[in-house]
Amino acid sequence: QVQLVESGGGLVQAGGSLRLSCVYSGIFFSKTVMGWYRQAPGKQRELAASFTSGGSTNYAESVKGRFTISRDDAKNTVYLQMNNLQPEDTGVYYCRSSNLILLRDYWGQGTQVTVSS
């Protein structure tokens, strides 16, 4: 059974940094693409950053140069390092796991990020 547990959100001033963590279980990483999505109040959920099926990374234009996605296989954890945060980065951040064989998506419960101006 796939489980995703996010942590690391919080309240930060503009220009500050946060690192989000997503601890996963029940995933065969070679058959899975993982990423971070976010949902601002009143808006649709959107991609922030993800790994591609080829192992490279993909970022939304709005976060390029500020966010970095990484993973530690020994800890079963995917990270999102967020630097120079801005108020428009405020939202709930979700970890997503996409099984490329079963064509199924799994989501964590989300972690709130609030950036004050």
Side-chain angles (χ1 to χ4, degrees):
Q1 183 175 356
V2 175
Q3 287 190 322
L4 306 169
V5 180
E6 302 104 329
S7 63
L11 173 64
V12 65
Q13 288 188 332
S17 298
L18 286 173
R19 188 178 78 158
L20 306 183
S21 299
C22 172
V23 179
Y24 58 85
S25 60
I27 291 176
F28 293 98
F29 212 94
S30 62
K31 304 183 188 307
T32 298
V33 170
M34 297 197 68
W36 287 95
Y37 287 70
R38 63 185 185 180
Q39 187 166 18
K43 295 188 177 181
Q44 289 189 330
R45 196 173 296 186
E46 63 177 11
L47 170 74
S50 71
F51 290 102
T52 69
S53 58
S56 58
T57 54
N58 181 42
Y59 296 93
E61 285 295 326
S62 59
V63 309
K64 280 183 179 178
R66 301 187 297 121
F67 290 11
T68 303
I69 189 172
S70 63
R71 73 191 216 211
D72 185 336
D73 294 342
K75 296 182 178 180
N76 283 6
T77 302
V78 175
Y79 301 99
L80 185 66
Q81 177 67 45
M82 306 186 294
N83 297 328
N84 190 22
L85 283 161
Q86 300 300 314
E88 53 266 33
D89 296 316
T90 293
V92 179
Y93 283 68
Y94 297 91
C95 182
R96 174 186 177 186
S97 169
S98 300
N99 188 304
L100 303 177
I101 305 301
L102 300 177
L103 301 180
R104 285 189 62 179
D105 291 332
Y106 303 88
W107 296 89
Q109 82 287 353
T111 185
Q112 176 70 45
V113 171
T114 303
V115 185
S116 63
S117 56

